[in-house]
């Protein structure tokens, strides 16, 4: 009977190690894909604050939130890049979000689904935080984490208005 707590500990440890490994694998996979798409990601890489990967299939409210964010910032913020993946119809995407916006230089259409393979296959949009041109973190925008978009909007507002005093003292 004393063996039961040890088994629970062992199972929990394995789950934690697996979960931590997935984050590392996601960062490795994203970095590899960014290297393959240098012509899209390399120009102004040090100025890129975030990359948002938006699947066209999945959690409709989360994708809708990411789409709304896309429409708000794609024309005004070169600090955010967007990748659309799992595209069922490029024509429908352009009609829904606007042809000019979808064809923006900060938008990559993943027509082959490379950004939806392995660790990156998700029903939810992914927020990739960048720092000095390197992938810092990969976060899934789930219904419980929708505030991530609001936080990114606030950060973008601060970078566009350098006269904003963020010091509360």
């Amino acid at each position: 009977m004393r063996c039961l707590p040890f088994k629970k500990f062992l199972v929990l440890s394995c789950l934690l190690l697996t979960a931590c490994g997935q984050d590392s694998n996601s960062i490795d996979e994203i970095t590899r894909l960014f290297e393959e798409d240098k012509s899209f990601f390399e120009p102004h890489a040090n100025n890129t604050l975030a990359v948002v990967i938006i699947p066209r299939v999945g959690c409709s409210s989360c994708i809708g939130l990411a789409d709304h964010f896309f429409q708000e910032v794609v024309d005004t913020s070169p600090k955010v890049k967007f990748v659309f993946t799992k595209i069922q119809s490029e024509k429908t995407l352009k009609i829904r979000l606007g042809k000019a916006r979808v064809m923006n230089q900060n938008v990559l259409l993943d027509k082959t689904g490379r950004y939806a393979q392995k660790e990156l296959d998700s029903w939810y949009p992914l927020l990739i935080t960048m720092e000095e041109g390197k992938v810092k973190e990969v976060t899934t925008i789930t219904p419980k984490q929708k505030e991530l978009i609001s936080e990114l909007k606030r950060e973008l507002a601060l970078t566009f208005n350098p006269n904003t005093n963020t010091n509360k003292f």
Side-chain angles (χ1 to χ4, degrees), residues 57-90:
V57 177
C59 173
S60 59
S61 65
C62 300
I63 293 169
L65 179 71
D67 284 351
H68 184 72
F69 174 69
F70 164 79
Q71 290 175 314
E72 284 184 79
V73 303
V74 71
D75 295 324
T76 59
S77 177
K79 292 185 175 279
V80 180
K81 294 193 179 275
F82 295 89
V83 177
F84 288 98
T85 191
K86 296 184 181 179
I87 300 169
Q88 295 178 327
S89 167
E90 186 176 336

PDB file of all heavy atoms in Angstrom, residues 57-90:
ATOM      1  N   VAL A  57      -9.487  26.489 -38.697  1.00  0.00           N
ATOM      2  CA  VAL A  57     -10.381  25.462 -38.176  1.00  0.00           C
ATOM      3  C   VAL A  57     -10.073  25.312 -36.691  1.00  0.00           C
ATOM      4  O   VAL A  57      -8.914  25.210 -36.316  1.00  0.00           O
ATOM      5  CB  VAL A  57     -10.141  24.107 -38.892  1.00  0.00           C
ATOM      6  CG1 VAL A  57     -11.014  23.025 -38.305  1.00  0.00           C
ATOM      7  CG2 VAL A  57     -10.361  24.232 -40.379  1.00  0.00           C
ATOM      8  N   GLY A  58     -11.112  25.315 -35.857  1.00  0.00           N
ATOM      9  CA  GLY A  58     -10.886  25.127 -34.430  1.00  0.00           C
ATOM     10  C   GLY A  58     -11.895  25.878 -33.594  1.00  0.00           C
ATOM     11  O   GLY A  58     -13.060  26.037 -33.989  1.00  0.00           O
ATOM     12  N   CYS A  59     -11.455  26.354 -32.441  1.00  0.00           N
ATOM     13  CA  CYS A  59     -12.309  27.081 -31.494  1.00  0.00           C
ATOM     14  C   CYS A  59     -12.771  28.389 -32.139  1.00  0.00           C
ATOM     15  O   CYS A  59     -11.988  29.327 -32.295  1.00  0.00           O
ATOM     16  CB  CYS A  59     -11.531  27.360 -30.208  1.00  0.00           C
ATOM     17  SG  CYS A  59     -12.404  28.425 -29.036  1.00  0.00           S
ATOM     18  N   SER A  60     -14.039  28.453 -32.511  1.00  0.00           N
ATOM     19  CA  SER A  60     -14.535  29.597 -33.284  1.00  0.00           C
ATOM     20  C   SER A  60     -14.445  30.917 -32.524  1.00  0.00           C
ATOM     21  O   SER A  60     -14.115  31.946 -33.118  1.00  0.00           O
ATOM     22  CB  SER A  60     -15.961  29.343 -33.759  1.00  0.00           C
ATOM     23  OG  SER A  60     -16.817  29.128 -32.657  1.00  0.00           O
ATOM     24  N   SER A  61     -14.709  30.917 -31.221  1.00  0.00           N
ATOM     25  CA  SER A  61     -14.637  32.182 -30.479  1.00  0.00           C
ATOM     26  C   SER A  61     -13.195  32.656 -30.343  1.00  0.00           C
ATOM     27  O   SER A  61     -12.913  33.848 -30.425  1.00  0.00           O
ATOM     28  CB  SER A  61     -15.308  32.061 -29.112  1.00  0.00           C
ATOM     29  OG  SER A  61     -14.616  31.150 -28.292  1.00  0.00           O
ATOM     30  N   CYS A  62     -12.256  31.732 -30.155  1.00  0.00           N
ATOM     31  CA  CYS A  62     -10.845  32.099 -30.034  1.00  0.00           C
ATOM     32  C   CYS A  62     -10.293  32.586 -31.369  1.00  0.00           C
ATOM     33  O   CYS A  62      -9.561  33.579 -31.434  1.00  0.00           O
ATOM     34  CB  CYS A  62     -10.027  30.911 -29.541  1.00  0.00           C
ATOM     35  SG  CYS A  62     -10.548  30.309 -27.930  1.00  0.00           S
ATOM     36  N   ILE A  63     -10.674  31.908 -32.447  1.00  0.00           N
ATOM     37  CA  ILE A  63     -10.247  32.321 -33.784  1.00  0.00           C
ATOM     38  C   ILE A  63     -10.876  33.667 -34.134  1.00  0.00           C
ATOM     39  O   ILE A  63     -10.212  34.543 -34.697  1.00  0.00           O
ATOM     40  CB  ILE A  63     -10.587  31.238 -34.825  1.00  0.00           C
ATOM     41  CG1 ILE A  63      -9.729  29.990 -34.562  1.00  0.00           C
ATOM     42  CG2 ILE A  63     -10.395  31.752 -36.243  1.00  0.00           C
ATOM     43  CD1 ILE A  63     -10.154  28.772 -35.351  1.00  0.00           C
ATOM     44  N   GLY A  64     -12.132  33.856 -33.750  1.00  0.00           N
ATOM     45  CA  GLY A  64     -12.802  35.141 -33.981  1.00  0.00           C
ATOM     46  C   GLY A  64     -12.091  36.277 -33.263  1.00  0.00           C
ATOM     47  O   GLY A  64     -11.930  37.373 -33.811  1.00  0.00           O
ATOM     48  N   LEU A  65     -11.658  36.034 -32.040  1.00  0.00           N
ATOM     49  CA  LEU A  65     -10.909  37.037 -31.271  1.00  0.00           C
ATOM     50  C   LEU A  65      -9.587  37.366 -31.965  1.00  0.00           C
ATOM     51  O   LEU A  65      -9.223  38.533 -32.123  1.00  0.00           O
ATOM     52  CB  LEU A  65     -10.642  36.522 -29.857  1.00  0.00           C
ATOM     53  CG  LEU A  65      -9.848  37.441 -28.943  1.00  0.00           C
ATOM     54  CD1 LEU A  65     -10.688  38.644 -28.542  1.00  0.00           C
ATOM     55  CD2 LEU A  65      -9.393  36.681 -27.710  1.00  0.00           C
ATOM     56  N   ALA A  66      -8.884  36.342 -32.422  1.00  0.00           N
ATOM     57  CA  ALA A  66      -7.616  36.553 -33.128  1.00  0.00           C
ATOM     58  C   ALA A  66      -7.853  37.276 -34.458  1.00  0.00           C
ATOM     59  O   ALA A  66      -7.065  38.153 -34.836  1.00  0.00           O
ATOM     60  CB  ALA A  66      -6.910  35.220 -33.349  1.00  0.00           C
ATOM     61  N   ASP A  67      -8.926  36.931 -35.163  1.00  0.00           N
ATOM     62  CA  ASP A  67      -9.267  37.610 -36.415  1.00  0.00           C
ATOM     63  C   ASP A  67      -9.533  39.097 -36.165  1.00  0.00           C
ATOM     64  O   ASP A  67      -9.091  39.956 -36.932  1.00  0.00           O
ATOM     65  CB  ASP A  67     -10.502  36.988 -37.070  1.00  0.00           C
ATOM     66  CG  ASP A  67     -10.229  35.660 -37.753  1.00  0.00           C
ATOM     67  OD1 ASP A  67      -9.048  35.277 -37.879  1.00  0.00           O
ATOM     68  OD2 ASP A  67     -11.214  35.000 -38.154  1.00  0.00           O
ATOM     69  N   HIS A  68     -10.269  39.391 -35.111  1.00  0.00           N
ATOM     70  CA  HIS A  68     -10.575  40.785 -34.770  1.00  0.00           C
ATOM     71  C   HIS A  68      -9.284  41.547 -34.464  1.00  0.00           C
ATOM     72  O   HIS A  68      -9.092  42.676 -34.936  1.00  0.00           O
ATOM     73  CB  HIS A  68     -11.548  40.830 -33.582  1.00  0.00           C
ATOM     74  CG  HIS A  68     -11.974  42.206 -33.227  1.00  0.00           C
ATOM     75  ND1 HIS A  68     -12.846  42.942 -34.004  1.00  0.00           N
ATOM     76  CD2 HIS A  68     -11.641  42.997 -32.182  1.00  0.00           C
ATOM     77  CE1 HIS A  68     -13.025  44.127 -33.450  1.00  0.00           C
ATOM     78  NE2 HIS A  68     -12.305  44.178 -32.344  1.00  0.00           N
ATOM     79  N   PHE A  69      -8.398  40.938 -33.693  1.00  0.00           N
ATOM     80  CA  PHE A  69      -7.103  41.543 -33.383  1.00  0.00           C
ATOM     81  C   PHE A  69      -6.324  41.777 -34.674  1.00  0.00           C
ATOM     82  O   PHE A  69      -5.739  42.848 -34.878  1.00  0.00           O
ATOM     83  CB  PHE A  69      -6.319  40.647 -32.415  1.00  0.00           C
ATOM     84  CG  PHE A  69      -4.928  41.123 -32.153  1.00  0.00           C
ATOM     85  CD1 PHE A  69      -4.703  42.276 -31.428  1.00  0.00           C
ATOM     86  CD2 PHE A  69      -3.833  40.408 -32.621  1.00  0.00           C
ATOM     87  CE1 PHE A  69      -3.413  42.730 -31.178  1.00  0.00           C
ATOM     88  CE2 PHE A  69      -2.548  40.843 -32.381  1.00  0.00           C
ATOM     89  CZ  PHE A  69      -2.334  42.003 -31.657  1.00  0.00           C
ATOM     90  N   PHE A  70      -6.324  40.789 -35.556  1.00  0.00           N
ATOM     91  CA  PHE A  70      -5.658  40.907 -36.853  1.00  0.00           C
ATOM     92  C   PHE A  70      -6.169  42.135 -37.610  1.00  0.00           C
ATOM     93  O   PHE A  70      -5.390  42.959 -38.094  1.00  0.00           O
ATOM     94  CB  PHE A  70      -5.897  39.624 -37.669  1.00  0.00           C
ATOM     95  CG  PHE A  70      -5.589  39.763 -39.133  1.00  0.00           C
ATOM     96  CD1 PHE A  70      -4.273  39.716 -39.581  1.00  0.00           C
ATOM     97  CD2 PHE A  70      -6.609  39.921 -40.061  1.00  0.00           C
ATOM     98  CE1 PHE A  70      -3.984  39.854 -40.935  1.00  0.00           C
ATOM     99  CE2 PHE A  70      -6.320  40.047 -41.410  1.00  0.00           C
ATOM    100  CZ  PHE A  70      -5.004  40.017 -41.856  1.00  0.00           C
ATOM    101  N   GLN A  71      -7.483  42.273 -37.713  1.00  0.00           N
ATOM    102  CA  GLN A  71      -8.070  43.384 -38.451  1.00  0.00           C
ATOM    103  C   GLN A  71      -7.736  44.735 -37.818  1.00  0.00           C
ATOM    104  O   GLN A  71      -7.594  45.724 -38.523  1.00  0.00           O
ATOM    105  CB  GLN A  71      -9.585  43.212 -38.570  1.00  0.00           C
ATOM    106  CG  GLN A  71      -9.957  42.063 -39.497  1.00  0.00           C
ATOM    107  CD  GLN A  71     -11.443  41.800 -39.549  1.00  0.00           C
ATOM    108  OE1 GLN A  71     -12.103  41.753 -38.519  1.00  0.00           O
ATOM    109  NE2 GLN A  71     -11.965  41.622 -40.749  1.00  0.00           N
ATOM    110  N   GLU A  72      -7.587  44.764 -36.495  1.00  0.00           N
ATOM    111  CA  GLU A  72      -7.258  46.003 -35.797  1.00  0.00           C
ATOM    112  C   GLU A  72      -5.815  46.447 -36.022  1.00  0.00           C
ATOM    113  O   GLU A  72      -5.558  47.642 -36.132  1.00  0.00           O
ATOM    114  CB  GLU A  72      -7.463  45.843 -34.287  1.00  0.00           C
ATOM    115  CG  GLU A  72      -8.895  45.871 -33.834  1.00  0.00           C
ATOM    116  CD  GLU A  72      -8.974  45.797 -32.320  1.00  0.00           C
ATOM    117  OE1 GLU A  72      -8.765  46.835 -31.662  1.00  0.00           O
ATOM    118  OE2 GLU A  72      -9.219  44.697 -31.810  1.00  0.00           O
ATOM    119  N   VAL A  73      -4.888  45.503 -36.062  1.00  0.00           N
ATOM    120  CA  VAL A  73      -3.473  45.903 -36.030  1.00  0.00           C
ATOM    121  C   VAL A  73      -2.657  45.622 -37.286  1.00  0.00           C
ATOM    122  O   VAL A  73      -1.571  46.159 -37.426  1.00  0.00           O
ATOM    123  CB  VAL A  73      -2.732  45.295 -34.810  1.00  0.00           C
ATOM    124  CG1 VAL A  73      -3.397  45.682 -33.519  1.00  0.00           C
ATOM    125  CG2 VAL A  73      -2.583  43.808 -34.929  1.00  0.00           C
ATOM    126  N   VAL A  74      -3.132  44.812 -38.205  1.00  0.00           N
ATOM    127  CA  VAL A  74      -2.289  44.406 -39.339  1.00  0.00           C
ATOM    128  C   VAL A  74      -1.832  45.600 -40.175  1.00  0.00           C
ATOM    129  O   VAL A  74      -0.692  45.616 -40.651  1.00  0.00           O
ATOM    130  CB  VAL A  74      -2.971  43.335 -40.221  1.00  0.00           C
ATOM    131  CG1 VAL A  74      -4.128  43.921 -41.016  1.00  0.00           C
ATOM    132  CG2 VAL A  74      -1.941  42.678 -41.135  1.00  0.00           C
ATOM    133  N   ASP A  75      -2.666  46.604 -40.325  1.00  0.00           N
ATOM    134  CA  ASP A  75      -2.305  47.757 -41.152  1.00  0.00           C
ATOM    135  C   ASP A  75      -1.486  48.800 -40.397  1.00  0.00           C
ATOM    136  O   ASP A  75      -0.888  49.668 -41.011  1.00  0.00           O
ATOM    137  CB  ASP A  75      -3.569  48.429 -41.718  1.00  0.00           C
ATOM    138  CG  ASP A  75      -4.323  47.514 -42.670  1.00  0.00           C
ATOM    139  OD1 ASP A  75      -3.663  46.756 -43.397  1.00  0.00           O
ATOM    140  OD2 ASP A  75      -5.570  47.560 -42.668  1.00  0.00           O
ATOM    141  N   THR A  76      -1.483  48.722 -39.078  1.00  0.00           N
ATOM    142  CA  THR A  76      -0.847  49.774 -38.284  1.00  0.00           C
ATOM    143  C   THR A  76       0.359  49.322 -37.481  1.00  0.00           C
ATOM    144  O   THR A  76       1.095  50.157 -36.977  1.00  0.00           O
ATOM    145  CB  THR A  76      -1.871  50.393 -37.311  1.00  0.00           C
ATOM    146  OG1 THR A  76      -2.366  49.358 -36.452  1.00  0.00           O
ATOM    147  CG2 THR A  76      -3.015  51.057 -38.060  1.00  0.00           C
ATOM    148  N   SER A  77       0.550  48.036 -37.324  1.00  0.00           N
ATOM    149  CA  SER A  77       1.637  47.562 -36.465  1.00  0.00           C
ATOM    150  C   SER A  77       2.565  46.596 -37.189  1.00  0.00           C
ATOM    151  O   SER A  77       2.255  45.415 -37.324  1.00  0.00           O
ATOM    152  CB  SER A  77       1.084  46.875 -35.218  1.00  0.00           C
ATOM    153  OG  SER A  77       2.164  46.375 -34.452  1.00  0.00           O
ATOM    154  N   PRO A  78       3.727  47.086 -37.594  1.00  0.00           N
ATOM    155  CA  PRO A  78       4.708  46.180 -38.201  1.00  0.00           C
ATOM    156  C   PRO A  78       5.382  45.279 -37.167  1.00  0.00           C
ATOM    157  O   PRO A  78       6.135  44.387 -37.524  1.00  0.00           O
ATOM    158  CB  PRO A  78       5.712  47.143 -38.837  1.00  0.00           C
ATOM    159  CG  PRO A  78       5.594  48.393 -38.036  1.00  0.00           C
ATOM    160  CD  PRO A  78       4.163  48.466 -37.590  1.00  0.00           C
ATOM    161  N   LYS A  79       5.068  45.477 -35.896  1.00  0.00           N
ATOM    162  CA  LYS A  79       5.684  44.685 -34.832  1.00  0.00           C
ATOM    163  C   LYS A  79       5.017  43.326 -34.629  1.00  0.00           C
ATOM    164  O   LYS A  79       5.500  42.503 -33.879  1.00  0.00           O
ATOM    165  CB  LYS A  79       5.677  45.467 -33.516  1.00  0.00           C
ATOM    166  CG  LYS A  79       6.599  46.676 -33.545  1.00  0.00           C
ATOM    167  CD  LYS A  79       6.653  47.336 -32.204  1.00  0.00           C
ATOM    168  CE  LYS A  79       7.654  48.448 -32.191  1.00  0.00           C
ATOM    169  NZ  LYS A  79       9.007  47.999 -31.999  1.00  0.00           N
ATOM    170  N   VAL A  80       3.879  43.114 -35.293  1.00  0.00           N
ATOM    171  CA  VAL A  80       3.167  41.845 -35.173  1.00  0.00           C
ATOM    172  C   VAL A  80       3.036  41.227 -36.559  1.00  0.00           C
ATOM    173  O   VAL A  80       2.633  41.889 -37.504  1.00  0.00           O
ATOM    174  CB  VAL A  80       1.764  42.020 -34.553  1.00  0.00           C
ATOM    175  CG1 VAL A  80       1.056  40.683 -34.434  1.00  0.00           C
ATOM    176  CG2 VAL A  80       1.854  42.687 -33.198  1.00  0.00           C
ATOM    177  N   LYS A  81       3.400  39.957 -36.644  1.00  0.00           N
ATOM    178  CA  LYS A  81       3.245  39.213 -37.891  1.00  0.00           C
ATOM    179  C   LYS A  81       2.168  38.157 -37.670  1.00  0.00           C
ATOM    180  O   LYS A  81       1.961  37.689 -36.549  1.00  0.00           O
ATOM    181  CB  LYS A  81       4.559  38.568 -38.301  1.00  0.00           C
ATOM    182  CG  LYS A  81       5.622  39.610 -38.671  1.00  0.00           C
ATOM    183  CD  LYS A  81       6.782  38.971 -39.354  1.00  0.00           C
ATOM    184  CE  LYS A  81       7.821  39.977 -39.737  1.00  0.00           C
ATOM    185  NZ  LYS A  81       7.568  40.609 -41.005  1.00  0.00           N
ATOM    186  N   PHE A  82       1.489  37.801 -38.741  1.00  0.00           N
ATOM    187  CA  PHE A  82       0.398  36.840 -38.664  1.00  0.00           C
ATOM    188  C   PHE A  82       0.638  35.699 -39.647  1.00  0.00           C
ATOM    189  O   PHE A  82       1.070  35.926 -40.774  1.00  0.00           O
ATOM    190  CB  PHE A  82      -0.938  37.513 -39.002  1.00  0.00           C
ATOM    191  CG  PHE A  82      -1.345  38.561 -38.009  1.00  0.00           C
ATOM    192  CD1 PHE A  82      -0.941  39.879 -38.165  1.00  0.00           C
ATOM    193  CD2 PHE A  82      -2.109  38.231 -36.909  1.00  0.00           C
ATOM    194  CE1 PHE A  82      -1.301  40.850 -37.249  1.00  0.00           C
ATOM    195  CE2 PHE A  82      -2.473  39.188 -35.972  1.00  0.00           C
ATOM    196  CZ  PHE A  82      -2.070  40.508 -36.146  1.00  0.00           C
ATOM    197  N   VAL A  83       0.334  34.487 -39.200  1.00  0.00           N
ATOM    198  CA  VAL A  83       0.399  33.307 -40.052  1.00  0.00           C
ATOM    199  C   VAL A  83      -0.974  32.651 -40.001  1.00  0.00           C
ATOM    200  O   VAL A  83      -1.465  32.305 -38.923  1.00  0.00           O
ATOM    201  CB  VAL A  83       1.477  32.303 -39.569  1.00  0.00           C
ATOM    202  CG1 VAL A  83       1.460  31.050 -40.436  1.00  0.00           C
ATOM    203  CG2 VAL A  83       2.861  32.937 -39.551  1.00  0.00           C
ATOM    204  N   PHE A  84      -1.595  32.500 -41.163  1.00  0.00           N
ATOM    205  CA  PHE A  84      -2.859  31.777 -41.246  1.00  0.00           C
ATOM    206  C   PHE A  84      -2.552  30.366 -41.725  1.00  0.00           C
ATOM    207  O   PHE A  84      -1.862  30.175 -42.730  1.00  0.00           O
ATOM    208  CB  PHE A  84      -3.832  32.472 -42.208  1.00  0.00           C
ATOM    209  CG  PHE A  84      -4.382  33.755 -41.655  1.00  0.00           C
ATOM    210  CD1 PHE A  84      -3.836  34.974 -42.012  1.00  0.00           C
ATOM    211  CD2 PHE A  84      -5.439  33.730 -40.759  1.00  0.00           C
ATOM    212  CE1 PHE A  84      -4.334  36.156 -41.492  1.00  0.00           C
ATOM    213  CE2 PHE A  84      -5.950  34.917 -40.229  1.00  0.00           C
ATOM    214  CZ  PHE A  84      -5.389  36.131 -40.599  1.00  0.00           C
ATOM    215  N   THR A  85      -3.059  29.389 -40.993  1.00  0.00           N
ATOM    216  CA  THR A  85      -2.819  27.986 -41.338  1.00  0.00           C
ATOM    217  C   THR A  85      -4.145  27.231 -41.353  1.00  0.00           C
ATOM    218  O   THR A  85      -5.178  27.769 -40.937  1.00  0.00           O
ATOM    219  CB  THR A  85      -1.800  27.351 -40.363  1.00  0.00           C
ATOM    220  OG1 THR A  85      -1.409  26.080 -40.866  1.00  0.00           O
ATOM    221  CG2 THR A  85      -2.363  27.212 -38.963  1.00  0.00           C
ATOM    222  N   LYS A  86      -4.105  25.999 -41.821  1.00  0.00           N
ATOM    223  CA  LYS A  86      -5.311  25.182 -41.987  1.00  0.00           C
ATOM    224  C   LYS A  86      -6.349  25.910 -42.845  1.00  0.00           C
ATOM    225  O   LYS A  86      -7.534  25.914 -42.551  1.00  0.00           O
ATOM    226  CB  LYS A  86      -5.923  24.796 -40.636  1.00  0.00           C
ATOM    227  CG  LYS A  86      -5.047  23.915 -39.777  1.00  0.00           C
ATOM    228  CD  LYS A  86      -5.761  23.516 -38.509  1.00  0.00           C
ATOM    229  CE  LYS A  86      -4.912  22.644 -37.616  1.00  0.00           C
ATOM    230  NZ  LYS A  86      -5.598  22.280 -36.376  1.00  0.00           N
ATOM    231  N   ILE A  87      -5.869  26.553 -43.897  1.00  0.00           N
ATOM    232  CA  ILE A  87      -6.722  27.345 -44.779  1.00  0.00           C
ATOM    233  C   ILE A  87      -7.523  26.409 -45.675  1.00  0.00           C
ATOM    234  O   ILE A  87      -6.952  25.642 -46.438  1.00  0.00           O
ATOM    235  CB  ILE A  87      -5.873  28.306 -45.638  1.00  0.00           C
ATOM    236  CG1 ILE A  87      -5.079  29.250 -44.744  1.00  0.00           C
ATOM    237  CG2 ILE A  87      -6.757  29.077 -46.610  1.00  0.00           C
ATOM    238  CD1 ILE A  87      -4.020  30.042 -45.481  1.00  0.00           C
ATOM    239  N   GLN A  88      -8.823  26.487 -45.547  1.00  0.00           N
ATOM    240  CA  GLN A  88      -9.685  25.670 -46.394  1.00  0.00           C
ATOM    241  C   GLN A  88      -9.974  26.368 -47.712  1.00  0.00           C
ATOM    242  O   GLN A  88     -10.117  25.721 -48.737  1.00  0.00           O
ATOM    243  CB  GLN A  88     -10.983  25.343 -45.659  1.00  0.00           C
ATOM    244  CG  GLN A  88     -10.743  24.470 -44.446  1.00  0.00           C
ATOM    245  CD  GLN A  88     -12.028  24.182 -43.700  1.00  0.00           C
ATOM    246  OE1 GLN A  88     -12.929  24.997 -43.645  1.00  0.00           O
ATOM    247  NE2 GLN A  88     -12.101  23.002 -43.113  1.00  0.00           N
ATOM    248  N   SER A  89     -10.084  27.705 -47.666  1.00  0.00           N
ATOM    249  CA  SER A  89     -10.348  28.467 -48.877  1.00  0.00           C
ATOM    250  C   SER A  89      -9.690  29.839 -48.742  1.00  0.00           C
ATOM    251  O   SER A  89     -10.096  30.646 -47.902  1.00  0.00           O
ATOM    252  CB  SER A  89     -11.854  28.626 -49.100  1.00  0.00           C
ATOM    253  OG  SER A  89     -12.100  29.599 -50.092  1.00  0.00           O
ATOM    254  N   GLU A  90      -8.684  30.073 -49.573  1.00  0.00           N
ATOM    255  CA  GLU A  90      -8.007  31.369 -49.553  1.00  0.00           C
ATOM    256  C   GLU A  90      -8.979  32.482 -49.961  1.00  0.00           C
ATOM    257  O   GLU A  90      -8.943  33.585 -49.408  1.00  0.00           O
ATOM    258  CB  GLU A  90      -6.807  31.329 -50.501  1.00  0.00           C
ATOM    259  CG  GLU A  90      -5.947  32.564 -50.445  1.00  0.00           C
ATOM    260  CD  GLU A  90      -4.722  32.457 -51.316  1.00  0.00           C
ATOM    261  OE1 GLU A  90      -4.263  31.333 -51.623  1.00  0.00           O
ATOM    262  OE2 GLU A  90      -4.218  33.520 -51.709  1.00  0.00           O
TER     263      GLU A  90
END
